[in-house]
């Protein structure tokens, strides 16, 4: 894991083909190798007809918003998706091609508004900063539920005009699934996102959880966590990464009505065994919501992102869309 660069004699730590941290704190992310890159929003995606735009939420938080086709002259209220991208809490962007293409498909299929959140990353920022950024975005979305026509210059007319706040879902894959868990727990502690809005559904796709199972400390996911977490949280005892840790808050506090948990059986980063353990923990906690657990066979970690148009990806996206629409 730790190696030396012979060309410039700089010491660095490298995690798989994801990123490299130099001794001076500089982080080199291998986005070219991973095949991801920034793409701009689109007035109308040619494949789905979905429109998108970028907005600034706060000095540190931004988002890409998505609006499905045929809403210009409609008064129909649409479900709301708040989406958190993956990347081991250290990689990725809401503005990358992978997520832009995926959100276009998900928004089209679910006929929902989506807010894809751009949060700050570790290790330049503490992991708890990621959760604060994510909560800031969630509160900003919920602030649009005010009955007043417009209450601030920071409001967005897509959310204001079309958002159905009784059908608000938070969704995330990998690191984003970890964030979704923490947002649902915070909403439970604070009795909703604000006084008007609660989370209806949570979808966690291959969530970045680590629990004590066989060979867990050999995985890239564990090694990454040791590097990016603070010394006091660097281990499986941390409730930030292990929702079943002894000092973790009770899962009965989950602040959503429904939860859909999705794993794959060939995931080399987050084993489906972790999902099974989490489901057992939720059931034992006495949480009163509805929980659905699915395992997609013969697929790898977050497979639906790389090509959302394959048959299995389409089946999974349709399942998400039904959940989002409350069907």
């Amino acid at each position: 894991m730790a190696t030396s660069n012979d060309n410039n004699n700089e010491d660095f730590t490298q995690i798989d083909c994801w990123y490299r941290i130099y001794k001076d704190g500089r982080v080199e992310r291998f986005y070219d190798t991973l095949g991801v890159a920034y793409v701009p929003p689109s007035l109308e995606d040619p494949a789905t007809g979905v429109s998108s735009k970028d907005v600034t939420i706060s000095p540190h938080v931004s988002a890409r918003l998505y609006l499905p086709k045929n809403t210009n002259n409609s008064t129909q209220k649409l479900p709301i998706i708040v989406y958190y991208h993956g990347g081991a809490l250290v990689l990725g962007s809401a503005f990358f091609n992978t997520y832009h293409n995926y959100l276009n498909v998900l928004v089209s299929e679910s006929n929902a508004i989506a807010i894809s959140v751009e949060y700050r990353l570790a290790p330049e920022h503490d992991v708890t900063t990621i959760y604060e950024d994510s909560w800031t975005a969630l509160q900003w979305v919920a602030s649009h539920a005010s009955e007043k026509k417009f209450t601030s210059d920071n409001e967005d007319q897509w959310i204001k005009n079309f958002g159905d706040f009784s059908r608000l879902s938070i969704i995330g894959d990998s690191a984003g699934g970890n964030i979704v868990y923490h947002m649902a727990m915070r909403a439970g502690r604070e009795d909703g996102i604000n006084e008007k809005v609660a989370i209806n559904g949570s979808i966690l796709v291959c969530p970045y959880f680590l629990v004590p199972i066989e060979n867990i400390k050999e995985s890239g996911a564990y090694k990454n966590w040791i590097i990016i977490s603070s010394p006091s949280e660097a281990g499986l005892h941390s409730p930030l990464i292990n929702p079943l840790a002894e000092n973790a808050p009770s899962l009965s506090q989950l602040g959503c009505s429904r939860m859909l948990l999705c794993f794959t059986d060939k995931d080399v980063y987050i084993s489906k065994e972790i999902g099974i353990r989490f489901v057992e923990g939720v059931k034992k906690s006495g949480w009163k919501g509805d929980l659905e657990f699915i395992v997609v066979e013969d697929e790898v970690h977050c497979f639906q992102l790389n090509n959302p148009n394959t048959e299995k990806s389409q089946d999974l996206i349709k399942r998400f869309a039904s959940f989002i629409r409350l069907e």
Side-chain angles (χ1 to χ4, degrees):
M1 182 176 67
T3 185
S4 174
N5 186 334
D6 294 332
N7 293 327
N8 57 18
N9 296 317
E10 285 190 291
D11 292 332
F12 58 76
T13 299
Q14 182 168 325
I15 294 295
D16 292 347
C17 60
W18 302 349
Y19 66 91
R20 179 182 293 166
I21 303 179
Y22 292 91
K23 63 181 180 182
D24 63 1
R26 179 167 55 92
V27 181
E28 180 184 4
R29 295 175 169 88
F30 303 139
Y31 289 140
D32 289 344
T33 303
L34 295 169
V36 294
Y38 168 85
V39 292
S42 172
L43 290 177
E44 186 172 308
D45 175 62
T48 62
V50 171
S51 299
S52 55
K53 63 181 177 181
D54 295 341
V55 299
T56 299
I57 295 173
S58 76
H60 301 295
V61 186
S62 55
R64 179 160 292 178
L65 273 57
Y66 295 83
L67 187 69
K69 194 176 181 180
N70 300 325
T71 54
N72 288 339
N73 299 314
S74 173
T75 58
Q76 178 187 8
K77 293 293 186 179
L78 305 176
I80 300 170
I81 299 166
V82 179
Y83 196 95
Y84 298 104
H85 71 78
L89 300 168
V90 72
L91 299 168
S93 170
F95 307 135
F96 279 173
N97 51 352
T98 304
Y99 285 100
H100 182 72
N101 296 337
Y102 178 67
L103 265 294
N104 278 327
V105 175
L106 180 61
V107 164
S108 177
E109 184 65 41
S110 58
N111 197 37
I113 299 169
I115 300 91
S116 185
V117 180
E118 180 78 346
Y119 52 83
R120 286 174 285 181
L121 298 173
E124 293 94 335
H125 303 281
D126 188 83
V127 170
T128 56
T129 298
I130 296 174
Y131 302 139
E132 287 302 321
D133 285 354
S134 300
W135 184 254
T136 294
L138 196 53
Q139 286 190 305
W140 175 77
V141 173
S143 71
H144 290 75
S146 169
E147 295 178 359
K148 296 179 181 179
K149 189 170 183 180
F150 280 97
T151 58
S152 77
D153 293 336
N154 199 31
E155 285 187 333
D156 180 82
Q157 63 178 1
W158 286 2
I159 304 173
K160 191 78 170 178
N161 293 341
F162 298 110
D164 180 354
F165 288 90
S166 69
R167 292 186 291 170
L168 185 148
S169 296
I170 57 175
I171 308 176
D173 64 274
S174 195
N178 175 292
I179 293 171
V180 166
Y181 160 74
H182 284 286
M183 296 305 98
M185 291 297 289
R186 182 163 179 175
R189 292 194 304 271
E190 301 190 12
D191 198 24
I193 307 168
N194 63 21
E195 67 278 2
K196 292 181 177 292
V197 181
I199 298 169
N200 183 281
S202 299
I203 301 179
L204 293 76
V205 187
C206 305
Y208 188 12
F209 293 154
L210 299 174
V211 303
I213 60 174
E214 187 177 1
N215 297 325
I216 189 68
K217 293 186 178 181
E218 302 304 315
S219 70
Y222 177 83
K223 294 172 183 177
N224 174 71
W225 176 249
I226 296 301
I227 289 172
I228 67 171
S229 57
S230 64
S232 63
E233 301 289 349
L236 297 177
H237 66 280
S238 171
L240 298 183
I241 199 68
N242 179 5
L244 305 177
E246 281 190 21
N247 58 336
S250 171
L251 293 170
S252 64
Q253 297 178 31
L254 283 163
C256 56
S257 304
R258 302 174 305 135
M259 179 175 289
L260 174 58
L261 190 67
C262 175
F263 281 73
T264 62
D265 71 348
K266 290 189 175 179
D267 193 332
V268 298
Y269 299 115
I270 310 297
S271 166
K272 67 179 181 182
E273 176 64 24
I274 292 176
I276 294 169
R277 298 276 187 93
F278 180 74
V279 168
E280 291 173 351
V282 172
K283 290 179 178 179
K284 288 179 181 178
S285 76
W287 180 63
K288 303 301 183 183
D290 295 325
L291 175 63
E292 184 178 0
F293 177 50
I294 59 176
V295 177
V296 182
E297 295 182 355
D298 298 321
E299 288 295 351
V300 297
H301 187 73
C302 298
F303 71 97
Q304 77 286 353
L305 295 172
N306 293 326
N307 189 347
N309 295 312
T310 65
E311 183 177 352
K312 283 190 177 181
S313 294
Q314 284 288 306
D315 288 345
L316 190 62
I317 290 169
K318 289 180 186 298
R319 196 158 188 173
F320 293 166
S322 295
F323 182 93
I324 291 162
R325 293 193 300 259
L326 289 178
E327 293 177 349

